[in-house]
Amino acid sequence: MTTRLRTAPFVIVLLTLSAVTVRRVLHQPAAPLPVGAVTAVAPSGSTAPTPFAPVAPVAPGASTNAGARGGRSLGAITLPLRVRWQRTSLTAIAAGIGVAPDGKTLYVATLGGRLEALATSDGSSRFSFDLGDRSYTAPAVAADGTIYVGSDAGVLYALRPNGDVRFRTKLPGGAGGPKKHPEIDVAPLLLGDEVVFAAGNVLYRCGRDGAVKSTFAAPGKIFTAPAALPDGTVVFGDQAGFVHGIAADGTPRFKTSLGGPDVDGSPAVFANGDFVIATDAAASTGQFSDPALRRDETKKGQVARLDGRGAILWKTAVAGHVRGPLSIGRDGDVRVGHFASAKAGPGLARLRGGDGAIVSELAIRGTGSTEFGIAGGPTESANGYELFGSPHDELVLVGGAGGATVTRIPVDGDVDAPPAVLPSGEVVVATRAGSVYLLAP
């Protein structure tokens, strides 16, 4: 199967989730929404939302800020896992799943352009909301239960837990292309009392009322979900090959070139404020500015660790291009899902956090296509199992004695986003066939 990738990030509400999405499209730069602009604020009569609550660290050495996007969960898994329920007949799903603060509701954005709210207990529908166009963004859920989600309609929605609209922020039209508005391709970041999200080549910071506080226009389309460093700096990559750091007041802090093509692997943050991020493979060797990379005919993706000032600490090539979120294990090592290259199959690489050396590689069977692979790093359970989706229509768990046991659970379609591990130890996974599964012991 040939797919195109678009990334979306980790959503953290008492647990860490991740999402990856599928599409690879270059867009014309769009004009940012004017500061203070917002459309169709929800009806009055409700209490004001509380600021986003900070999230406690999940393990010693883990990042404590809610936007760190690390891939770790508080839930411990017990094997064997069995399907408790399967919700079918939804349209294709290419993004991660949001979870209500009380764990009782799951939020699923679909390529059919709807946000589906499902009961965690049995998968029954709580509400279905029209997003106006297909959505590749994982819903971000705040501590007060507000759900934030975007779509290709160029609208950021904030919904109450019952599905009513709190606000909608409509983005302006852009220049050129079949769309008259920039598409929201990646999940929003909840940071303090703000919502940070990307659309086209623009990063937006909005208040809890949906009014835009600041914008930043990158030189290329933003295809990574934003993440936050401990000091509030927001980091992300663009398809011009740059990594950006934007301060809490909206001013640029750094702009770092990775010396290669699109930066499409969403960042994950270490506790000390360093972070890792990754590049896609090049369409041709001429895209690389780094001479060493131009000589590498395998077109490998690059994983880089940067400090909070944007300086590159190390950079490592993995076997194929990276188009999904990275994750950092409790051991401090980096996990990277990658696609196939001309000389290697797809797989999951583990890189040593300190120097980027490749510690191990778990290969999966390829098809010969470089558009076939693992979309994103794994989700790690509290007891050390690592879970990721495979395009072979399966959920893969790596763990057990010595971490060497591999368990494969068949599902009905490609899994294009890392699964969610709930604090209860239940596992939620969505497929391209339009199904959501809940698995439990």
Side-chain angles (χ1 to χ4, degrees):
M1 172 180 177
T2 299
T3 60
R4 296 175 294 168
L5 278 194
R6 125 171 35 182
T7 60
F10 293 90
V11 178
I12 307 181
V13 179
L14 300 181
L15 69 158
T16 306
L17 307 180
S18 60
V20 69
T21 53
V22 178
R23 184 162 71 178
R24 291 279 296 124
V25 182
L26 293 176
H27 293 250
Q28 295 291 333
L33 193 67
V35 173
V38 63
T39 61
V41 176
S44 60
S46 61
T47 58
T50 56
F52 298 123
V55 177
V58 298
S63 177
T64 59
N65 63 301
R69 309 195 187 284
R72 283 168 280 181
S73 167
L74 294 174
I77 291 173
T78 301
L79 296 182
L81 290 174
R82 298 180 174 85
V83 176
R84 177 177 296 173
W85 54 257
Q86 176 186 359
R87 175 64 187 270
T88 60
S89 301
L90 304 177
T91 54
I93 303 163
I97 295 174
V99 183
D102 62 7
K104 295 182 179 179
T105 307
L106 308 172
Y107 301 106
V108 185
T110 74
L111 298 187
R114 304 200 70 84
L115 179 72
E116 306 287 352
L118 308 178
T120 306
S121 59
D122 59 8
S124 59
S125 179
R126 297 212 160 149
F127 68 80
S128 179
F129 182 83
D130 184 4
L131 296 174
D133 205 337
R134 58 188 175 185
S135 178
Y136 290 86
T137 67
V141 188
D144 66 358
T146 302
I147 308 115
Y148 298 85
V149 64
S151 77
D152 279 8
V155 180
L156 176 72
Y157 289 96
L159 305 178
R160 296 185 174 89
N162 65 356
D164 289 344
V165 176
R166 185 183 293 278
F167 72 75
R168 58 171 62 87
T169 297
K170 174 70 175 178
L171 304 180
K179 297 283 185 178
K180 294 183 179 180
H181 47 258
E183 298 160 342
I184 300 175
D185 290 330
V186 294
L189 167 66
L190 309 184
L191 185 62
D193 61 355
E194 295 182 331
V195 185
V196 183
F197 68 99
N201 68 310
V202 179
L203 185 79
Y204 295 85
R205 301 181 82 116
C206 294
R208 295 293 300 275
D209 58 358
V212 176
K213 292 184 174 182
S214 66
T215 62
F216 171 80
K221 176 173 168 53
I222 302 169
F223 218 65
T224 68
L229 306 185
D231 65 359
T233 299
V234 173
V235 294
F236 60 94
D238 70 30
Q239 291 193 328
F242 293 100
V243 179
H244 301 271
I246 308 298
D249 63 1
T251 59
R253 287 196 60 194
F254 61 81
K255 175 184 175 183
T256 302
S257 173
L258 293 187
D262 303 350
V263 180
D264 285 345
S266 295
V269 182
F270 290 92
N272 70 347
D274 293 351
F275 63 98
V276 286
I277 197 164
T279 71
D280 193 355
S284 68
T285 52
Q287 284 187 266
F288 288 104
S289 60
D290 186 328
L293 298 183
R294 285 201 299 267
R295 292 192 297 268
D296 186 357
E297 296 300 325
T298 62
K299 319 289 196 304
K300 295 178 179 179
Q302 299 281 313
V303 181
R305 178 169 179 166
L306 290 77
D307 66 18
R309 297 170 299 177
I312 298 174
L313 303 178
W314 54 253
K315 189 161 61 174
T316 300
V318 293
H321 55 263
V322 181
R323 293 179 182 169
L326 309 186
S327 57
I328 301 171
R330 287 178 171 83
D331 56 12
D333 288 346
V334 179
R335 275 67 169 178
V336 183
H338 65 79
F339 282 62
S341 68
K343 297 183 179 179
L348 179 71
R350 175 183 167 192
L351 281 61
R352 196 157 54 215
D355 60 9
I358 296 178
V359 177
S360 64
E361 169 86 13
L362 176 64
I364 65 170
R365 175 171 47 88
T367 63
S369 170
T370 57
E371 296 296 317
F372 190 91
I374 298 174
T379 303
E380 183 184 15
S381 72
N383 56 338
Y385 283 97
E386 298 182 15
L387 299 82
F388 63 92
S390 161
H392 290 298
D393 300 356
E394 61 188 10
L395 172 67
V396 182
L397 292 79
V398 181
T405 302
V406 178
T407 302
R408 303 177 188 274
I409 300 174
V411 291
D412 67 354
D414 293 357
V415 179
D416 286 336
V421 180
L422 307 185
S424 61
E426 297 166 313
V427 175
V428 185
V429 63
T431 74
R432 272 269 173 170
S435 289
V436 177
Y437 293 79
L438 187 138
L439 299 96

Coordinates of all heavy atoms in Angstrom, one line a residue, residues 274-308:
D274 N 16.6 19.7 26.2 CA 17.0 19.2 24.9 C 15.8 18.5 24.2 O 14.9 18.1 24.9 CB 18.1 18.2 24.9 CG 19.5 18.8 25.4 OD1 19.5 20.0 25.6 OD2 20.4 18.0 25.7
F275 N 15.9 18.4 22.9 CA 14.8 17.7 22.2 C 15.3 17.0 21.0 O 16.4 17.3 20.5 CB 13.6 18.7 21.8 CG 14.0 19.7 20.8 CD1 13.8 19.6 19.5 CD2 14.7 20.9 21.3 CE1 14.1 20.6 18.6 CE2 15.0 21.9 20.4 CZ 14.7 21.8 19.0
V276 N 14.6 16.0 20.5 CA 14.9 15.3 19.2 C 13.8 15.6 18.2 O 12.7 15.7 18.5 CB 15.1 13.8 19.5 CG1 16.4 13.5 20.2 CG2 13.9 13.2 20.2
I277 N 14.3 15.6 16.9 CA 13.4 15.8 15.8 C 14.0 15.1 14.6 O 15.1 14.7 14.7 CB 13.2 17.4 15.6 CG1 12.0 17.7 14.8 CG2 14.5 18.0 15.1 CD1 11.6 19.2 14.8
A278 N 13.2 14.9 13.5 CA 13.7 14.1 12.4 C 13.3 14.6 11.1 O 12.3 15.3 10.9 CB 13.3 12.6 12.6
T279 N 14.0 14.2 10.0 CA 13.7 14.6 8.7 C 13.2 13.5 7.8 O 13.4 12.3 8.1 CB 15.0 15.1 7.9 OG1 15.9 14.0 7.7 CG2 15.7 16.1 8.8
D280 N 12.5 13.9 6.8 CA 12.0 12.9 5.8 C 13.2 12.6 4.9 O 14.2 13.2 5.0 CB 10.9 13.7 5.0 CG 10.1 12.7 4.1 OD1 10.5 11.6 4.0 OD2 9.2 13.2 3.5
A281 N 13.1 11.6 4.0 CA 14.1 11.4 3.0 C 14.0 12.4 1.9 O 12.9 12.9 1.7 CB 14.0 9.9 2.5
A282 N 15.0 12.5 1.1 CA 15.0 13.5 0.0 C 14.5 12.8 -1.2 O 14.7 11.6 -1.5 CB 16.4 14.0 -0.2
A283 N 13.8 13.6 -2.1 CA 13.4 13.1 -3.4 C 14.6 12.9 -4.3 O 14.6 12.0 -5.2 CB 12.4 14.1 -4.0
S284 N 15.6 13.6 -4.1 CA 16.9 13.5 -4.9 C 18.0 14.0 -4.0 O 17.8 14.7 -3.1 CB 16.8 14.3 -6.1 OG 16.8 15.7 -5.8
T285 N 19.2 13.4 -4.3 CA 20.3 13.8 -3.5 C 20.7 15.3 -3.5 O 21.3 15.8 -2.7 CB 21.6 13.0 -3.9 OG1 21.7 13.1 -5.3 CG2 21.4 11.5 -3.5
G286 N 20.2 16.0 -4.6 CA 20.5 17.4 -4.7 C 19.8 18.2 -3.7 O 20.1 19.4 -3.5
Q287 N 18.8 17.6 -2.9 CA 18.1 18.4 -1.9 C 18.9 18.6 -0.7 O 18.6 19.4 0.1 CB 16.8 17.7 -1.5 CG 15.7 17.8 -2.5 CD 14.4 17.3 -2.0 OE1 14.1 16.1 -2.3 NE2 13.6 18.1 -1.3
F288 N 20.0 17.8 -0.5 CA 20.8 17.9 0.7 C 21.9 19.0 0.5 O 22.6 19.0 -0.4 CB 21.5 16.6 1.0 CG 20.6 15.5 1.5 CD1 20.2 14.5 0.7 CD2 20.1 15.5 2.8 CE1 19.4 13.5 1.1 CE2 19.3 14.5 3.3 CZ 18.9 13.5 2.4
S289 N 22.0 19.9 1.5 CA 23.0 20.9 1.5 C 24.3 20.3 2.2 O 25.4 20.8 1.9 CB 22.6 22.1 2.3 OG 22.3 21.8 3.6
D290 N 24.2 19.3 3.0 CA 25.3 18.6 3.7 C 26.0 17.7 2.7 O 25.3 16.7 2.2 CB 24.8 17.8 4.9 CG 25.9 17.2 5.7 OD1 27.0 16.9 5.1 OD2 25.7 17.2 6.9
P291 N 27.3 17.9 2.3 CA 27.9 17.0 1.3 C 27.9 15.5 1.7 O 27.8 14.7 0.8 CB 29.4 17.6 1.3 CG 29.3 19.0 1.8 CD 28.1 19.0 2.8
A292 N 28.0 15.2 3.0 CA 28.0 13.8 3.4 C 26.7 13.2 3.1 O 26.6 12.0 2.7 CB 28.3 13.7 4.9
L293 N 25.6 13.9 3.2 CA 24.3 13.4 2.9 C 24.1 13.3 1.4 O 23.4 12.4 1.0 CB 23.2 14.3 3.5 CG 23.2 14.4 5.1 CD1 22.1 15.3 5.5 CD2 23.2 13.0 5.7
R294 N 24.7 14.2 0.7 CA 24.5 14.1 -0.8 C 25.1 12.8 -1.4 O 24.7 12.3 -2.4 CB 25.1 15.3 -1.5 CG 24.3 16.6 -1.3 CD 24.7 17.6 -2.4 NE 26.1 18.0 -2.3 CZ 26.5 19.1 -1.6 NH1 25.6 19.8 -0.9 NH2 27.8 19.4 -1.6
R295 N 26.2 12.3 -0.6 CA 26.8 11.1 -1.1 C 26.1 9.8 -0.7 O 26.4 8.7 -1.2 CB 28.3 11.0 -0.5 CG 29.2 12.1 -1.1 CD 30.6 11.8 -0.7 NE 30.8 11.8 0.7 CZ 31.2 12.9 1.4 NH1 31.4 14.1 0.7 NH2 31.4 12.9 2.7
D296 N 25.1 10.0 0.2 CA 24.4 8.8 0.7 C 23.2 8.5 -0.2 O 22.2 9.2 -0.1 CB 23.9 9.1 2.1 CG 23.3 7.8 2.8 OD1 23.2 6.8 2.1 OD2 22.9 7.9 3.9
E297 N 23.4 7.6 -1.1 CA 22.3 7.3 -2.1 C 21.1 6.5 -1.5 O 20.1 6.3 -2.2 CB 22.9 6.5 -3.2 CG 24.0 7.2 -4.0 CD 23.4 8.5 -4.7 OE1 22.2 8.5 -5.1 OE2 24.2 9.5 -4.8
T298 N 21.2 6.1 -0.2 CA 20.1 5.4 0.4 C 19.0 6.4 0.8 O 17.9 6.0 1.2 CB 20.5 4.6 1.6 OG1 21.0 5.6 2.6 CG2 21.6 3.6 1.3
K299 N 19.2 7.7 0.7 CA 18.2 8.7 1.1 C 17.6 8.5 2.5 O 16.4 8.4 2.7 CB 17.0 8.7 0.1 CG 17.4 8.5 -1.4 CD 18.0 9.7 -1.9 CE 18.0 9.7 -3.4 NZ 18.7 8.5 -4.0
K300 N 18.5 8.4 3.4 CA 18.1 8.1 4.8 C 17.5 9.3 5.5 O 17.9 10.4 5.2 CB 19.3 7.6 5.6 CG 19.8 6.2 5.1 CD 21.0 5.8 6.0 CE 21.6 4.5 5.5 NZ 22.7 4.0 6.3
G301 N 16.6 9.1 6.4 CA 16.1 10.2 7.3 C 17.2 10.4 8.3 O 18.0 9.6 8.7
Q302 N 17.1 11.6 8.9 CA 18.1 12.1 9.9 C 17.4 12.4 11.2 O 16.4 13.1 11.2 CB 18.9 13.3 9.4 CG 19.7 13.1 8.2 CD 21.0 12.4 8.4 OE1 21.7 12.7 9.4 NE2 21.3 11.4 7.6
V303 N 17.9 11.8 12.3 CA 17.4 12.2 13.6 C 18.4 13.1 14.3 O 19.6 12.7 14.3 CB 17.1 10.9 14.4 CG1 16.6 11.3 15.8 CG2 16.2 10.0 13.7
A304 N 18.0 14.2 14.9 CA 18.9 15.1 15.5 C 18.5 15.4 16.9 O 17.3 15.6 17.2 CB 19.0 16.4 14.7
R305 N 19.4 15.6 17.8 CA 19.2 16.1 19.1 C 19.7 17.5 19.2 O 20.9 17.8 18.8 CB 19.9 15.3 20.2 CG 19.6 15.8 21.6 CD 20.1 14.8 22.7 NE 19.9 15.4 24.0 CZ 19.9 14.6 25.2 NH1 20.2 13.3 25.1 NH2 19.7 15.2 26.3
L306 N 18.9 18.5 19.6 CA 19.2 19.9 19.8 C 19.1 20.3 21.2 O 18.2 19.8 21.9 CB 18.3 20.7 18.9 CG 18.5 20.7 17.4 CD1 17.9 19.4 16.8 CD2 18.0 21.9 16.7
D307 N 19.8 21.3 21.6 CA 19.6 21.9 22.9 C 18.6 23.0 22.9 O 18.0 23.3 21.8 CB 20.9 22.4 23.6 CG 21.6 23.5 22.9 OD1 20.9 24.2 22.1 OD2 22.8 23.8 23.1
G308 N 18.2 23.6 24.0 CA 17.2 24.6 24.0 C 17.5 25.9 23.3 O 16.6 26.7 23.2

